[in-house]
Amino acid sequence: MVLQRNTIPDSGLFTLRRNQRFMTIFKSPFKSLPAINDSKNGLIRANSEGPTVKADNVPPVVPLRGISHLTNNQKSNSNGGLMEEEWFHGVLPREEVVRLLVNEGDFLVRETTRNDECQIVLSVCWDGHKHFIVQTTPEGHYRFEGPTFPSIQELIRHQWLSSLPVTSRSGAILKTPILRERWELNNDDVILLEKIGRGNFGDVYKAQLKTCKTEVAVKTCKVTLPDEQKRKFLQEGRILKQYDHPNIVKLIGICVQKQPIMIVMELVPGGSLLTYLRKNSGTITQREQLRMCKDAAAGMRYLESKYCIHRDLAARNCLVGYECIVKISDFGMSREEEEYIVSDGMKQIPIKWTAPEALNFGKYTSLCDVWSYGILTWEIFSKGGNPYSGMSNSQAREKIDAGYRMPAPDGTPDEIYRLMLRCWEYEPEKRPHFDQIYIVVETLSQAYL
């Protein structure tokens, strides 16, 4: 039996070529990319910025691509055809999958590894969330409880069109396919060029988007990390995708079609601010230092307006772009809340950059970022110095609790040092917010023009 390719009325969203998609993503803020809610065809594109709205009473159409062009050998030995399906989410971790499946009958297909064996899983929102492993017959066909099919695409098509339960015990019925988010890119469209660093989860590369030749930065996640760590890795992408500000590093997309999982970001050519300060310590002017402080304040003012707590603001986590513009980066510890209480311990906390209330009680607000901004400002004017030099983390913490504050680096304007001391007020409510900080730094910057 030869199946004809199902088609969808052209809405302009499924006929975009990859290069158009990349350039749209690269040039536009992600919040401007709409979710699909095609009530005519019953298709929903995953959108993590709000609940999914499901179309009711619609004739189902599954976007199956090119099944008739796959030989049985290709179907058996490759997931290439499956990767073309918009409802296939690759190796997206289970926790992320659950976040996307909101309404009864929402479903998607993903890949997982159990006992070193690759498995294809159908995930369905039904009386909670159900996950069904696709069974393979000795003949190389695929099934759940019902009939077998020569490809996973045909199995999913049958399961959806028939409205039969996936298993009699679960009663789960497929209603609405959740399509890949617009910022989910294909791993094969990203060419890794050279290693440029190492992050908490894996190596960082300079790379190129295959179709449009744009150079990008790519963070990779080690294949061997558990799903919980992969979820934390992807959290940075989920936070960044909705932000658009010149002083915040821009996300281009994530790659979860296969291992390794990758986060694709704009390439910021100057590298880390800390390295830049140390390499150029003999030539950096006071005017440039004030500009750096202003850029960082502008980015943090934007994050505070979005109720985003960065939690790891430091010179090492800022990047230097064209014309020495500073961009806030490394959102791996960030949280989108007005207040965040740490519940999983204080491991990997940057003690010398962290506010006392966070260290003592695990309580984070944007005013904790203000404390860290004071340390960042000190780093800028010390041209990459080490905060609390000569002290261990525990010694620095004890001295801070006792009232000690670092002296101003040589050449620091009095107004800037007063700002540092305000950022280091022990009581968080006495610290300025970032809109106030920005006004102070911008006024000083204008005075040094």
Side-chain angles (χ1 to χ4, degrees), residues 195-229:
K195 180 178 171 181
I196 57 176
R198 177 171 294 179
N200 292 329
F201 300 93
D203 294 329
V204 181
Y205 291 87
K206 179 180 179 180
Q208 186 181 73
L209 300 182
K210 183 184 293 184
T211 311
C212 60
K213 308 300 182 184
T214 302
E215 289 192 338
V216 294
V218 173
K219 291 184 175 183
T220 61
C221 185
K222 294 177 184 175
V223 176
T224 53
L225 290 179
D227 266 8
E228 173 63 20
Q229 289 299 306

Side-chain angles (χ1 to χ4, degrees), residues 126-156:
W126 193 271
D127 190 24
H129 292 91
K130 303 287 191 296
H131 306 276
F132 305 94
I133 297 173
V134 174
Q135 306 296 321
T136 306
T137 69
E139 297 77 24
H141 286 197
Y142 305 95
R143 64 173 300 191
F144 293 112
E145 280 186 351
T148 65
F149 294 88
S151 74
I152 295 173
Q153 294 97 311
E154 290 167 278
L155 172 63
I156 300 301

